Amino acid sequence: MILRSIRRGIAALACLAAVGAAGAQAAESPPSITDLTEARLITEGTAVPGGTVWAALLLDHAPKWHSYWRNPGDSGLPTTIEWTLPQGWSAGEIVWPAPHRIPTGPFVNYGFDGEVLLPVPLRVPADAVPGSTARVEASAQWLVCADICIPEEAKLALDVTVSGPPAATDGAWAGRFVEARQHAPKPSPWSAVVDGSADTLLLRIDAAGLDRDRLGDIAFFPYDPDAVEHAGEQRVSIDADGLTLSIPRGIDKGKPIAPIDGVLVVEERLGSNTVRQAFLVEASVGTVAPPPASVAGAVIGGLTSGSIGLAQAGLLALAGGLLLNLMPCVFPVLFIKALGVARLGAGHRREVRLHGLAYTAGVLATFGLLAGGLVALQQSGAVIGWGFQLQHPAVILLLAYLMVVIGLNLAGVFSVAGGANLGAGLAARQGHAGAFFTGALAVIVATPCTAPFMSVALGFAVTQPPPVAIGIFLALGLGMALPFLLLSLFPGVARFLPKPGAWMEAFKQFLAFPMFATAAWLVWVLAQQAGPTGVIAALGGMILIAFGAWLWNLAPRGAGRIVSRAVGVVAFVLALLLVRFPAEAPAQADAVIRSDGAVAWERFDPARIGSLRADGKAVLVNLTAAWCITCQVNERLALSSAAVGAALADGGIVPLKGDWTNGDPVITRYLAEFGRNGVPLYVLYPADRGGTPMVLPQLLTEAIVLDAIVGLTATTDGDART
């Protein structure tokens, strides 16, 4: 405190000396000094009749203390000045400098530390008399904060000399005024548009030609304190035509998007220096496309939709469709169909080829319907992605029923098509409709699955016009249909399949168990979505289905057959009526979502990412869903091990998990920012807020996760040493 008093004394002497040097042009009030701030009123020079003279409140904060901008952020109060001026004089508004973000715990304030100049233009009446002096008084109030906040005020006054033109500037302070005006926010040379959703603002600045490599931090400070979540992370994406900021909305969340004004601050690296520029932004409401993923993060061992073109997306979709055939719920259907081809033999080539084409048509038609529904819903404004249909408990329950029905049929409990079981009937029946609906059935049972490459391709698709998007989905379908299509077009391949025989019946019955296993897994998914009510509804419905299937073939003919089948149909109907019960999702309010193995996940919140990084912590984001098989495998094999838990703890990395099981528009938008249209998504953020997040592959191993953590830690340590 003694040193601070000495410094103030030296500063006061310097000011007096400057005043003396500048003579009558010097105008500075005596300072108001507390332990936390030093305030004074200053002017740029003399006042000219009919002109403007600049005055300013100069605040010098003690170390670690700050005061506030016009929008203080999550807390605080803006500094105010009430003027008492001579007759005919008037004061304008404070010309606010661009503020800084000041993190305080979980909050972010906007304000200033160190020394700040708050200039105000004073208009001088035309009848002011040169050679006279005008008494200018200011009553200033501000809130100064560190760990605590203390309101302060000061009554400051000075005499301004009126002179003839040109005005004489004050030698001590004129340079500070010039500097303040140079660094004050300037009218933006670019047009701006705001768009968004209930939770996120998208601010588009048409600033073409920005050099991404030279840009540093970019932030938007709105005038409206309710417009955005101040502690939320502002994601910036840059393309050739400008930049887009994605900002979590504040308490206006859910209200219609309205025009927004504020200050855009852009840091640019010029050689070894960083220049901070501020622009006044007035954004009108318009259409802003979600930012592409290519600028959202770096990728480890994978691709993002922003880094690929149409041809690559098509190939990735084709590969993803091929791999879908290996999923446990799809493989039995495909295998039974393939055996049917083998049974038909080389003497029925034309028929086999028609079966293959019909099967392919069924696959493509069903994918086309799903893609059309997805695109139509997105065009209508719905925030959804691939797997949206599985976010409804009723769909999960119906899929579980379907798996049970197929399993019972494969096990021989009941049969259709004149005694043939369902799988063999679909494979061997003469009608092409059977092959067509087998393709449709394969797609339906495949919907809970996400194969590698699918998310990148589908993430690309949803950013394209509808015809291109549907084309990518059809490429996925073609990949799925391709094995059977090739087998039907080249039936000679069938000779490599096992010869038909009695073993087929036993194997067919064996394939019932993967279907039952899939049904059990879907019941587990239902438990996540609808709790115990959903589980009991599913189990009761499955019992009714099994009862109805048993009754279907109980009596071979006559009145007994009619009665047993009628009762069986009633059982099926009752099972379908149970679909309406699992409608309510269990509440999820805990901050900690659950502990998987050695990793205690916190609930995902985009704003949490920003606040953690502001506190110097790295973040691992895991977006998952109970119905996503790939997600569950990754969590069991790669993300829940003791080694990963220890690496996260040692690296100070906070794990966040987002559950997309029941849908969540916040997660959907976050996925879109990384060019993804479905889960899983794994993103590793460095603690440095300027650092680029890394996107991990969709298929994880423990080694991949550990290598990523080690790489992140090494980079952080290197930066710290630097």
Side-chain angles (χ1 to χ4, degrees):
M1 190 61 65
I2 294 175
L3 290 175
R4 180 173 172 80
S5 299
I6 293 173
R7 184 174 63 84
R8 288 170 177 163
I10 294 174
L13 291 174
C15 290
L16 289 173
V19 168
Q25 290 77 38
E28 172 187 347
S29 73
S32 171
I33 301 175
T34 70
D35 289 341
L36 307 178
T37 58
E38 178 178 316
R40 70 184 70 228
L41 184 64
I42 61 175
T43 63
E44 189 175 16
T46 61
V48 174
T52 297
V53 61
W54 284 87
L57 173 67
L58 180 66
L59 288 178
D60 187 9
H61 304 84
K64 300 183 181 179
W65 292 80
H66 63 267
S67 58
Y68 295 92
W69 190 53
R70 57 178 293 176
N71 169 12
D74 282 320
S75 62
L77 292 170
T79 298
T80 61
I81 307 174
E82 294 181 6
W83 296 93
T84 301
L85 301 171
Q87 183 70 31
W89 288 57
S90 63
E93 300 294 330
I94 297 174
V95 179
W96 293 92
H100 293 272
R101 290 168 62 92
I102 304 174
T104 304
F107 305 110
V108 167
N109 296 321
Y110 303 152
F112 316 97
D113 53 16
E115 189 177 86
V116 62
L117 195 69
L118 303 179
V120 176
L122 301 180
R123 286 177 288 278
V124 184
D127 58 358
V129 179
S132 65
T133 58
R135 187 67 174 174
V136 173
E137 298 178 357
S139 176
Q141 296 181 324
W142 63 93
L143 188 66
V144 59
C145 298
D147 294 332
I148 60 173
C149 290
I150 298 175
E152 294 191 337
E153 62 180 0
K155 295 186 182 300
L156 306 166
L158 53 76
D159 293 325
V160 179
T161 301
V162 179
S163 68
T169 56
D170 181 272
W173 299 110
R176 295 294 309 277
F177 279 94
V178 172
E179 183 181 4
R181 285 195 292 269
Q182 287 177 342
H183 291 92
K186 301 172 178 58
S188 172
W190 312 298
S191 60
V193 175
V194 64
D195 193 3
S197 61
D199 300 307
T200 305
L201 280 182
L202 295 175
L203 179 62
R204 175 68 182 177
I205 310 293
D206 292 329
L210 291 176
D211 187 347
R212 185 185 307 173
D213 295 334
R214 295 199 316 187
L215 295 179
D217 287 345
I218 298 175
F220 177 68
F221 299 87
Y223 292 156
D224 182 354
D226 299 332
V228 305
E229 190 175 303
H230 305 295
E233 184 176 22
Q234 297 191 6
R235 295 179 173 276
V236 182
S237 62
I238 304 168
D239 54 45
D241 299 322
L243 60 89
T244 301
L245 290 97
S246 303
I247 311 172
R249 297 185 67 179
I251 64 175
D252 283 346
K253 191 175 296 183
K255 296 181 180 177
I257 299 294
I260 189 169
D261 299 339
V263 172
L264 177 72
V265 175
V266 179
E267 291 185 355
E268 185 176 11
R269 291 183 285 271
L270 299 176
S272 59
N273 299 319
T274 298
V275 177
R276 192 172 191 257
Q277 301 186 71
F279 302 95
L280 300 171
V281 171
E282 297 179 356
S284 57
V285 177
T287 301
V288 180
S294 57
V295 294
V299 181
I300 296 177
L303 294 169
T304 64
S305 64
S307 63
I308 63 175
L310 177 60
Q312 285 178 287
L315 290 174
L316 288 172
L318 197 69
L322 277 169
L323 293 176
L324 274 179
N325 289 289
L326 300 178
M327 296 300 159
C329 46
V330 180
F331 181 72
V333 177
L334 179 67
F335 191 79
I336 291 295
K337 193 69 183 171
L339 289 182
V341 171
R343 181 182 293 153
L344 286 174
H348 300 78
R349 287 192 173 185
R350 180 177 181 278
E351 191 63 25
V352 169
R353 287 169 180 165
L354 290 177
H355 268 274
L357 293 174
Y359 173 85
T360 303
V363 171
L364 294 180
T366 309
F367 263 109
L369 285 175
L370 285 172
L374 176 63
V375 170
L377 289 172
Q378 289 188 326
Q379 292 289 317
S380 67
V383 183
I384 58 175
W386 178 249
F388 69 97
Q389 68 278 20
L390 303 175
Q391 294 167 349
H392 303 281
V395 175
I396 293 293
L397 183 52
L398 287 174
L399 279 172
Y401 284 174
L402 180 61
M403 300 299 172
V404 170
V405 169
I406 295 174
L408 291 172
N409 181 260
L410 291 172
V413 175
F414 79 105
S415 61
V416 294
N421 63 64
L422 180 60
L426 288 172
R429 61 187 298 179
Q430 297 299 314
H432 302 142
F436 180 89
F437 286 111
T438 301
L441 176 67
V443 175
I444 292 171
V445 299
T447 51
C449 305
T450 300
F453 313 125
M454 273 183 58
S455 289
V456 175
L458 298 185
F460 174 86
V462 298
T463 63
Q464 303 302 309
V468 177
I470 293 176
I472 297 297
F473 275 89
L474 293 181
L476 181 68
L478 181 61
M480 184 175 177
L482 200 54
F484 184 71
L485 180 62
L486 292 176
L487 183 63
S488 62
L489 294 178
F490 305 98
V493 179
R495 68 176 183 270
F496 297 105
L497 296 175
K499 299 296 182 185
W503 66 271
M504 291 176 58
E505 181 61 25
F507 190 72
K508 173 181 68 65
Q509 294 178 6
F510 166 76
L511 291 178
F513 291 95
M515 308 310 291
F516 291 143
T518 304
W521 168 65
L522 289 169
V523 172
W524 175 81
V525 173
L526 197 62
Q528 316 302 311
Q529 294 180 314
T533 303
V535 173
I536 194 62
L539 296 179
M542 289 176 178
I543 291 172
L544 287 169
I545 287 174
F547 180 61
W550 174 71
L551 286 174
W552 188 259
N553 292 128
L554 182 62
R557 63 182 63 85
R561 177 174 177 172
I562 295 175
V563 172
S564 65
R565 290 198 170 185
V567 176
V569 169
V570 170
F572 279 114
V573 171
L574 290 175
L576 292 176
L577 291 177
L578 290 175
V579 169
R580 68 188 183 89
F581 282 99
E584 296 182 1
Q588 297 180 350
D590 297 338
V592 176
I593 187 167
R594 67 168 179 256
S595 175
D596 288 339
V599 181
W601 297 92
E602 292 188 25
R603 191 170 300 285
F604 169 77
D605 180 352
R608 180 74 172 142
I609 298 172
S611 61
L612 286 169
R613 298 180 78 190
D615 292 339
K617 295 181 179 177
V619 180
L620 172 63
V621 172
N622 167 17
L623 299 186
T624 182
W627 38 260
C628 169
I629 295 177
T630 306
C631 306
Q632 302 306 317
V633 171
N634 285 338
E635 291 192 23
R636 294 295 180 273
L637 300 183
L639 290 172
S640 59
S641 70
V644 170
L648 291 173
D650 292 344
I653 301 171
V654 179
L656 305 181
K657 177 185 284 188
D659 189 348
W660 208 43
T661 301
N662 290 320
D664 185 331
V666 174
I667 294 178
T668 305
R669 277 186 287 277
Y670 182 87
L671 288 168
E673 291 174 6
F674 284 86
R676 296 294 176 86
N677 192 242
V679 291
L681 175 65
Y682 309 102
V683 185
L684 192 56
Y685 288 85
D688 177 11
R689 301 191 67 178
T692 302
M694 297 179 290
V695 180
L696 275 61
Q698 285 181 271
L699 287 181
L700 294 179
T701 64
E702 183 184 86
I704 290 175
V705 178
L706 291 175
D707 287 346
I709 293 173
V710 169
L712 181 76
T713 306
T715 302
T716 303
D717 291 345
D719 292 343
R721 286 192 294 271
T722 301

